């Protein structure tokens, strides 16, 4: 039976490249001249550090654009609230990877509500969809990519015919 897996992943090497590019862009921008602002990547967290809150917002836009340019969906960004101290402003962005159980249940519920002749089952941090026809599987992909789909960065891999 044809099947595929629904996952939510990104290439961590591309994320590191995006953070490096964002650092270079911030250092070369005119509005950041003489400002101590930088990005640091620690695992799946990107720490933004600047002098004021306004600069953090600009840096967040730069990071989002760099991630998109490197092929990483911006919806994987979980932006935390900024922490403002007297001299520095800091903010963390967590790059989410994998489906948590609530998100996986929501995907399965959406697939079942579509009345397509497929079965969906949760397997750890992914959802496996099986069906008799390849067209039904492609309809599930279309459904999850559409406006009615979840607000998650989803990829479809391990397609078997």
């Amino acid at each position: 039976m044809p099947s595929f897996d629904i996952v939510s992943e990104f290439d961590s090497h591309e994320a590191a490249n995006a953070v490096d590019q964002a650092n270079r862009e911030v250092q070369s921008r005119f509005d950041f001249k003489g400002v101590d602002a930088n990005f640091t990547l620690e695992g799946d967290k990107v720490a933004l550090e600047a002098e004021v809150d306004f600069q953090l917002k600009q840096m967040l836009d730069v990071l989002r654009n760099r991630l998109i340019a490197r092929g990483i969906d911006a919806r994987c960004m979980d932006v935390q609230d900024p922490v403002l101290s007297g001299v520095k402003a800091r903010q963390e962005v967590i790059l989410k990877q994998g489906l948590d159980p609530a998100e996986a249940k929501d995907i399965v519920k959406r697939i079942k509500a579509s009345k397509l002749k497929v079965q969906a089952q949760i397997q750890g941090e992914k959802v496996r969809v099986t069906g008799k026809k390849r067209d039904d599987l492609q309809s599930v992909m279309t459904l999850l990519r559409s406006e009615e789909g979840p607000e998650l960065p989803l990829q479809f891999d391990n397609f078997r015919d």
Side-chain angles (χ1 to χ4, degrees), residues 13-133:
H13 186 67
E14 290 295 333
N17 289 341
V19 170
D20 289 340
Q21 286 180 340
N23 258 330
R24 277 191 241 119
E25 182 175 337
V26 165
Q27 290 170 358
S28 67
R29 277 178 53 160
F30 180 75
D31 52 345
F32 281 95
K33 291 285 186 207
V35 176
D36 185 26
N38 62 355
F39 298 91
T40 49
L41 179 66
E42 302 142 0
D44 285 347
K45 292 182 183 178
V46 180
L48 287 73
E49 191 171 304
E51 293 179 357
V52 291
D53 183 35
F54 176 74
Q55 292 169 341
L56 284 179
K57 291 177 184 174
Q58 290 178 325
M59 290 174 66
L60 196 59
D61 286 340
V62 169
L63 179 63
R64 183 174 288 117
N65 290 336
R66 291 292 141 216
L67 287 172
I68 291 170
R70 301 299 291 182
I72 298 173
D73 197 331
R75 292 179 291 184
C76 74
M77 293 174 52
D78 183 17
V79 180
Q80 306 297 314
D81 292 331
V83 177
L84 306 172
S85 62
V87 180
K88 289 281 181 190
R90 292 180 182 87
Q91 188 171 18
E92 276 193 351
V93 176
I94 299 170
L95 301 174
K96 295 186 297 184
Q97 194 158 314
L99 297 172
D100 37 336
E103 293 168 340
K105 284 181 185 178
D106 180 49
I107 290 171
V108 170
K109 187 173 86 175
R110 289 173 192 261
I111 292 171
K112 287 185 178 180
S114 70
K115 304 284 188 202
L116 292 169
K117 294 183 180 180
V118 295
Q119 293 82 38
Q121 49 188 189
I122 301 170
Q123 295 183 342
E125 291 188 342
K126 62 184 176 182
V127 176
R128 170 141 312 147
V129 180
T130 58
K132 290 184 180 178
K133 295 182 187 174

